[in-house]
Amino acid sequence: MQILITILVTFFAGMGAGLGTGFAGMSAAAVISPMLITFLGMDPYMAVGIALSSDVLASAISAYTYAKNKNIDIKNGLIMMGSVLVFTVVGSYVSSLVPSATMGNFSVFMTFLLGIKFIVRPVMTTKEAMQGVSAKKRAIQSLVCGMMIGFICGFVGAGGGMMMLLILTSVLGYELKTAVGTSVFIMAFTAFTGAASHFAIGGMPDWTVWILCVVFTLIWARIAALFANKATPKTLNRVTGVILVVLGIAVMCFHLLA
């Protein structure tokens, strides 16, 4: 009976995380960790580690799909990724020193609010408009913003992808598909760094839960990324917004249950 419950929990956790990753570059930990904590009684710190490791392949396959459709900016993404990686380790270490109850609350509200933002004020920037942003200005912004994003990603195991998407679209002026593609490209590396840090500090995970989460998240992320790259900007904004709002509300409920 316990294995059936584990499969059901990890399936729905992976589905929510995969859809969030493929459509919006959201960290899988925003959905997976609260579900593992609430329904499987897992230690919060270890749940975040499993969620981050699930995010690695999901973000990688999503990044591949966006890159295949030429919706990714690797050059500028690498600048942000450098500072993100360093501060992900810092954030992961700091999170091990604070009470578990403080983890994850920020990302829940951010997911919900960002979903509302995409529905009410969709990102309709074109690739042509992106060219008007100064390369030097974008590089400096990427470096500074990456430091903040990395710390949050490592600290709460979530929120990094959401902040990255918000910054890429609102601050750096990316069109939505390129923003998501660049976001998941960076998140694949930050998630790996965060997961490795969590496991190094907290020990190895429950392998059954880990494998199921990784597989289910990977499958749904691939499905979401394929759909997103074929959708029109207007449709993508609406679908992304609705998914983020639903996931935000769901995660709020999980936190209340916990």
Side-chain angles (χ1 to χ4, degrees), residues 33-195:
S33 54
M35 288 193 69
L36 296 184
I37 295 168
T38 303
F39 298 109
L40 298 183
M42 186 170 289
D43 173 72
Y45 191 75
M46 185 54 62
V48 170
I50 290 177
L52 283 171
S53 61
S54 300
D55 207 14
V56 177
L57 290 180
S59 293
I61 193 64
S62 296
Y64 168 77
T65 304
Y66 278 90
K68 191 175 181 180
N69 288 275
K70 298 181 179 180
N71 290 316
I72 192 171
D73 185 354
I74 295 178
K75 182 179 179 180
N76 288 295
L78 287 172
I79 297 175
M80 182 179 288
M81 184 173 69
S83 56
V84 167
L85 287 174
V86 173
F87 277 80
T88 294
V89 177
V90 175
S92 180
Y93 175 72
V94 173
S95 74
S96 70
L97 305 177
V98 301
S100 297
T102 64
M103 299 167 64
N105 294 326
F106 171 76
S107 63
V108 175
F109 294 104
M110 187 163 187
T111 298
F112 177 78
L113 293 177
L114 192 57
I116 295 295
K117 186 265 182 188
F118 279 121
I119 296 174
V120 178
R121 297 188 63 182
V123 177
M124 301 303 290
T125 306
T126 63
K127 289 185 178 181
E128 289 73 20
M130 288 173 55
Q131 305 304 318
V133 180
S134 167
K136 181 179 180 180
K137 178 181 179 180
R138 180 169 289 168
I140 295 175
Q141 289 176 326
S142 296
L143 182 65
V144 175
C145 292
M147 295 167 64
M148 178 172 60
I149 292 169
F151 182 82
I152 291 175
C153 180
F155 183 73
V156 302
M162 292 294 89
M163 285 198 66
M164 202 175 306
L165 182 61
L166 181 62
I167 289 172
L168 288 173
T169 55
S170 301
V171 178
L172 302 184
Y174 280 59
E175 59 94 22
L176 186 54
K177 291 182 181 180
T178 304
V180 175
T182 305
S183 177
V184 291
F185 167 71
I186 297 173
M187 285 303 296
F189 293 93
T190 59
F192 177 81
T193 304

